[in-house]
Amino acid sequence: MNRMTAAVLAATLAATPVTASSSYQELLTRPRPTPDQHIAYGKGALQVGDLYLPKGNGAHPVIVLIHGGCWLAELPGRELMDPMVEPLRTRGFAIWNIEYRRIGHDGGGYPGTFLDTANAVDELRALAPRYHLDLAHVVMVGHSAGGHLAIWTAARSRIAKTSTLYKSDPLPIHAAVSLSGILDLEAYRGTGPDSCGGPTTIDGIAGKHPDPYADTSPARLVPSGVHQVIFSGDLDHIVPAPFGHAYAKKAKAAGDRLDDIEIKGAGHFEMIDPKSAAWPTIEAAIVAAAK
């Protein structure tokens, strides 16, 4: 993707209705929290995560934060999720804010983006003894493209053994929360807005193999057996609410336990803004999902 295309895409992502006030540019101006540990889960420069620990002793439930940005290298990374760290850490959670290779990075897209996400989550097994992490209460929380990866991670046990993405013993996930996630890649490619670069981007993340959505699209991996909370904003022009509702309907019909929540007056970036009117509802749902 050339610089002009990236600039146009960034402007599109920043555009929100006048009644929705959050933008990713403003979120990036806020003070960044200092991680307790900056940890590599692989050998690549982007195969890293920031670990934040709460006060107190005992085993800490874990929230894995996965940033969005249309799976594209040109857009910001895990710093997008930084504003969420302190509000959640003060609720007693350890926070694992991960980075991953994206389309445009060497090895990003299919399968690298998925393998990075999976390896970052499975790294918690190695981190748990040293940092007193409660692996029985790991909650995935992702935004936009990260929402897709959060729900996908929760459903990894459904991936066929013949897939490049298959792993025999993925870390079990207690719950998963999607904040305006793109949860049905096929449907979004067909009728979704072009905010994330249109079909070209979806083709890049789904990959080129005989059945590209079978191992990449959460909608094809239901039921996951994991409690899910699907958030949508009624003013979201990047991932319109009907996409979240359609996925929720399909997952529920397959037998998944799922909460489908639409927030009035919320656009795309209110979902990750602790200063937004949407945040108290989102925070409460995350805390409840961890129980």
Side-chain angles (χ1 to χ4, degrees):
M1 181 177 291
N2 61 40
R3 292 182 180 179
M4 182 174 292
T5 303
V8 171
L9 178 58
T12 300
L13 287 175
T16 54
V18 294
T19 50
S21 59
S22 300
S23 70
Y24 81 81
Q25 289 96 335
E26 194 279 325
L27 288 171
L28 293 176
T29 67
R30 298 183 190 175
R32 295 190 66 181
T34 301
D36 291 281
Q37 296 291 334
H38 179 72
I39 298 169
Y41 63 83
K43 295 181 179 180
L46 293 167
Q47 294 169 329
V48 296
D50 294 328
L51 182 65
Y52 302 85
L53 300 172
K55 295 180 180 179
N57 300 317
H60 309 304
V62 182
I63 291 176
V64 181
L65 295 180
I66 310 183
H67 70 82
C70 297
W71 311 276
L72 296 173
E74 289 86 356
L75 295 173
R78 67 188 183 282
E79 60 269 26
L80 284 167
M81 305 299 273
D82 280 348
M84 299 173 62
V85 168
E86 290 302 337
L88 294 173
R89 177 158 61 168
T90 59
R91 300 299 295 265
F93 294 102
I95 311 297
W96 179 225
N97 188 12
I98 66 169
E99 192 52 87
Y100 55 91
R101 291 172 296 170
R102 292 162 264 154
I103 299 169
H105 291 134
D106 185 22
Y110 184 93
T113 294
F114 295 94
L115 295 176
D116 283 2
T117 303
N119 288 337
V121 173
D122 290 340
E123 182 69 13
L124 289 171
R125 284 190 170 118
L127 301 179
R130 180 175 181 180
Y131 298 109
H132 310 292
L133 307 180
D134 179 3
L135 296 187
H137 291 87
V138 175
V139 179
M140 307 298 304
V141 178
H143 174 244
S144 196
H148 157 257
L149 292 170
I151 301 300
W152 174 85
T153 302
R156 278 195 294 155
S157 63
R158 298 278 296 171
I159 294 174
K161 293 182 179 180
T162 54
S163 168
T164 302
L165 305 183
Y166 172 79
K167 188 172 182 179
S168 62
D169 187 27
L171 181 73
I173 302 301
H174 180 71
V177 180
S178 167
L179 307 174
S180 295
I182 302 172
L183 306 180
D184 188 330
L185 297 184
E186 190 171 12
Y188 196 83
R189 186 192 190 283
T191 61
D194 288 337
S195 300
C196 276
T200 300
T201 301
I202 299 299
D203 291 345
I205 199 63
K208 296 180 180 179
H209 51 293
D211 193 357
Y213 303 110
D215 58 353
T216 61
S217 183
R220 291 283 296 274
L221 295 172
V222 297
S224 69
V226 174
H227 178 211
Q228 301 164 60
V229 184
I230 309 302
F231 277 103
S232 304
D234 72 331
L235 300 180
D236 192 337
H237 290 182
I238 296 174
V239 187
F243 286 96
H245 298 324
Y247 168 80
K249 182 178 180 180
K250 182 173 184 178
K252 282 184 176 180
D256 273 333
R257 178 188 169 202
L258 189 145
D259 301 310
D260 182 19
I261 303 171
E262 181 174 325
I263 299 183
K264 302 300 181 183
H268 197 63
F269 294 101
E270 280 70 23
M271 298 293 176
I272 55 173
D273 183 359
K275 294 182 179 180
S276 75
W279 179 254
T281 300
I282 292 169
E283 182 178 17
I286 293 171
V287 172
K291 296 180 179 179

